[in-house]
Amino acid sequence: MVDVDIQGRSTTDCDAAIHSAPGRLPFLGHSWILRHHPLEFMTSLQRSGDVSKIYLGSRQVYVLNHPDLIRRVLVTDAHSFDKGALFDQLRGYVGSGLLTSSGSFHRKQRRLMQSAFNREQIAVYAETMERIAAERADSWQDGQSLSINREMDDLAFSILTGTLFSSHSRDDIGAEIRKWLSVRIGAMGRTLSALPRWHRLLPFASRPSLDPEAIVRLRGLLDELITEYRATGARRQDILSIFLTEDAEGTGERMTDSEVRDELLTLLVAGTETTSAALAWTFHELHQAPDIEHRLHSELGRAGLRRPFSYESCAELLYVRQILKEVLRRHAVWLLMRRVVAPVRFGGLELRPGTEVCFSPYAVHHDPRFYVDPFRFDPDRWRAQSCSGPPRGAFFPFGMGNRLCLGESYAWAELIIVVATVAARWKLAPASQEPPVTPVVGTLIRPSETAMVVRARC
């Protein structure tokens, strides 16, 4: 394990030995540069050592710049850390779901939810994924110009709701979810951008609106849906049915209705924007690399006799998976935070309860210590026969440890099936006169809004 270069010194000396990042402004600290140049700033911190300091207003935050230290936070010493300031903001949206909960409650919820994401269930969901993806792709016309961001948002939404509530036909729930997501996305962008995120520390910063009426309406509709499911008693092949009926390892312990509702809200947050952003980036990257796109089409051609692309097909689409791994590396989450809840020592540096630490998956994924030519899009870096991959902890698009995304296998199935289904039918290219796609940093790193034209594959 890497140890910061502070052994044998007092805690005060150790803290002094950790460099403060350049760019600190009076009163604002590093908030301005985080807001305006977040990706460049986070990757630059690699030059400050394995641990560096930034200031959000007057508050000090330690930045971890090495995967071994990040692994300690997420795995080895996970009991000493809680979710931190970013996730405090999320509780107003999703309650105490898996994304925001911790401790024994978090462990119980994972046990109660895990059967909804086992291999057998994902194979069932995959049929819905392929059907919805094919319907969307078949609705396009040769030469049509469309917003790939909006198309992928709608597609990810339809797939998620189709696997959450397989038999519901209430349009009011779908409409309310869409309305809530649009409010949530805007508010989340303000909450997680540099300056407004710290309105507790900077009183003059604008406060995001939670739109409590939208939250109350959606919670009420989900409560009604849960009541309907319980009243019928039918076991459907969807996530909600499993949440309502699963017990914890045969103990008879089940989720309450309010716990089920919070987990549904959590999945709506975690299962839409992340997936749609990855899909949109994939089609932009394919257009910029014709050789990669050609190899993708060759693989899909070899698998063509087994269309539609099922869950079993996913294991055969090795190059599709390589492309998606590279998308997830290049366009990772840019900032995550944790709060110390029990004293922990990194080398000679003692982190006391209440201390905030942060780390950047994006920065680790672009660290030249772990990736050759890290800003180049290169799916071949993931070929099993050509490399052993990055060191442990240097690639974590779905987290790690007890915070490893429970829906990772679900996400992989969805990403592979959607890319294969769309790419088997169409090639996508930016419309003429469109500016180059650029990263838009908010909750996630999304591609800028750029119209793309679909062309039928011959």
Side-chain angles (χ1 to χ4, degrees):
M1 187 196 73
V2 167
D3 206 1
V4 292
D5 186 23
I6 47 181
Q7 288 184 323
R9 308 177 191 176
S10 69
T11 299
T12 303
D13 289 341
C14 291
D15 185 71
I18 296 174
H19 298 290
S20 177
R24 182 183 180 186
L25 298 175
F27 305 109
L28 295 178
H30 295 94
S31 295
W32 186 92
I33 194 168
L34 275 168
R35 182 168 189 171
H36 294 281
H37 305 286
L39 304 184
E40 297 87 345
F41 179 67
M42 294 308 296
T43 54
S44 74
L45 296 181
Q46 299 157 358
R47 298 190 292 271
S48 300
D50 291 339
V51 182
S52 54
K53 289 184 290 189
I54 62 174
Y55 290 85
L56 302 161
S58 60
R59 188 171 185 177
Q60 178 177 286
V61 178
Y62 291 98
V63 184
L64 309 180
N65 302 315
H66 195 284
D68 283 357
L69 299 180
I70 296 170
R71 183 173 175 81
R72 283 193 59 185
V73 171
L74 297 179
V75 182
T76 312
D77 298 319
H79 61 280
S80 297
F81 295 87
D82 201 355
K83 296 302 291 281
L86 295 183
F87 293 92
D88 291 343
Q89 302 295 329
L90 283 174
R91 290 189 182 93
Y93 297 91
V94 300
S96 297
L98 207 61
L99 189 66
T100 56
S101 61
S102 59
S104 60
F105 180 74
H106 178 268
R107 291 191 293 273
K108 185 205 77 169
Q109 292 298 94
R110 281 189 73 97
R111 289 198 302 271
L112 288 169
M113 295 169 65
Q114 61 189 5
S115 65
F117 298 99
N118 63 30
R119 182 180 179 85
E120 292 75 19
Q121 283 302 131
I122 293 173
V124 173
Y125 307 148
E127 297 177 9
T128 301
M129 295 171 182
E130 195 282 332
R131 173 180 56 79
I132 293 173
E135 289 172 355
R136 171 68 60 168
D138 289 342
S139 72
W140 299 341
Q141 302 295 319
D142 190 21
Q144 179 182 356
S145 177
L146 50 81
S147 164
I148 194 64
N149 286 1
R150 189 177 307 116
E151 291 291 324
M152 293 303 107
D153 283 345
D154 289 346
L155 182 52
F157 175 84
S158 297
I159 287 174
L160 181 61
T161 54
T163 52
L164 281 177
F165 333 111
S166 61
S167 61
H168 92 87
S169 59
R170 291 182 50 174
D171 293 336
D172 56 342
I173 292 180
E176 201 61 48
I177 291 173
R178 286 181 180 275
K179 192 180 303 180
W180 176 78
L181 283 173
S182 67
V183 171
R184 190 271 311 171
I185 289 170
M188 283 284 288
R190 292 189 296 273
T191 301
L192 297 184
S193 63
L195 189 57
R197 181 188 310 138
W198 300 103
H199 62 263
R200 290 188 300 109
L201 309 175
L202 304 174
F204 51 83
S206 61
R207 293 175 178 266
S209 170
L210 292 179
D211 192 355
E213 292 185 4
I215 297 172
V216 169
R217 284 195 305 271
L218 180 55
R219 284 176 175 166
L221 289 171
L222 290 177
D223 286 340
E224 291 178 14
L225 184 61
I226 290 167
T227 300
E228 291 175 11
Y229 265 56
R230 286 209 189 274
T232 63
R235 176 66 179 258
R236 303 172 177 88
Q237 292 295 316
D238 60 23
I239 294 171
L240 175 55
S241 288
I242 297 173
F243 283 1
L244 291 173
T245 58
E246 188 68 15
D247 64 12
E249 300 173 349
T251 64
E253 184 179 21
R254 290 181 170 85
M255 280 191 265
T256 66
D257 287 2
S258 62
E259 289 170 354
V260 170
R261 182 198 62 217
D262 285 355
E263 297 302 350
L264 293 178
L265 290 170
T266 296
L267 290 175
L268 289 168
V269 168
T272 50
E273 193 179 13
T274 52
T275 304
S276 65
L279 290 169
W281 275 119
T282 298
F283 293 111
H284 283 296
E285 294 286 4
L286 288 174
H287 165 70
Q288 296 176 58
D291 57 329
I292 293 174
E293 187 174 35
H294 176 74
R295 289 175 62 185
L296 166 65
H297 290 156
S298 296
E299 179 174 78
L300 296 180
R302 292 192 297 272
L305 294 178
R306 289 180 291 281
R307 252 188 252 166
F309 298 105
S310 65
Y311 186 54
E312 289 71 27
S313 303
C314 293
E316 303 174 32
L317 300 176
L318 300 179
Y319 195 60
V320 175
R321 183 178 287 268
Q322 287 177 219
I323 290 170
L324 287 165
K325 287 187 77 170
E326 188 67 345
V327 167
L328 294 173
R329 182 191 71 83
R330 285 282 287 117
H331 307 290
V333 173
W334 73 280
L335 185 66
L336 291 172
M337 297 194 70
R338 291 293 186 268
R339 181 185 295 122
V340 179
V341 294
V344 63
R345 187 176 293 274
F346 284 174
L349 175 66
E350 181 182 353
L351 300 179
R352 299 181 176 87
T355 302
E356 297 278 358
V357 301
C358 71
F359 50 91
S360 172
Y362 176 90
V364 173
H365 290 181
H366 291 81
D367 193 323
R369 292 177 293 179
F370 314 122
Y371 295 96
V372 176
D373 198 1
F375 288 90
R376 180 167 62 93
F377 187 81
D378 180 17
D380 278 341
R381 72 174 78 245
W382 301 106
R383 282 197 307 170
Q385 65 269 32
S386 65
C387 72
S388 58
R392 186 174 65 169
F395 180 68
F396 53 113
F398 295 100
M400 64 177 89
N402 66 2
R403 291 292 179 176
L404 179 69
C405 177
L406 189 63
E408 179 181 4
S409 295
Y410 177 106
W412 273 116
E414 180 179 2
L415 291 170
I416 293 172
I417 288 172
V418 170
V419 169
T421 300
V422 172
R425 291 161 169 79
W426 304 103
K427 296 182 67 173
L428 290 87
S432 60
Q433 308 303 315
E434 284 290 324
V437 64
T438 56
V440 178
V441 182
T443 312
L444 302 170
I445 306 172
R446 296 177 62 87
S448 56
E449 191 64 59
T450 304
M452 299 194 81
V453 175
V454 294
R455 297 292 185 190
R457 286 193 59 207
C458 299

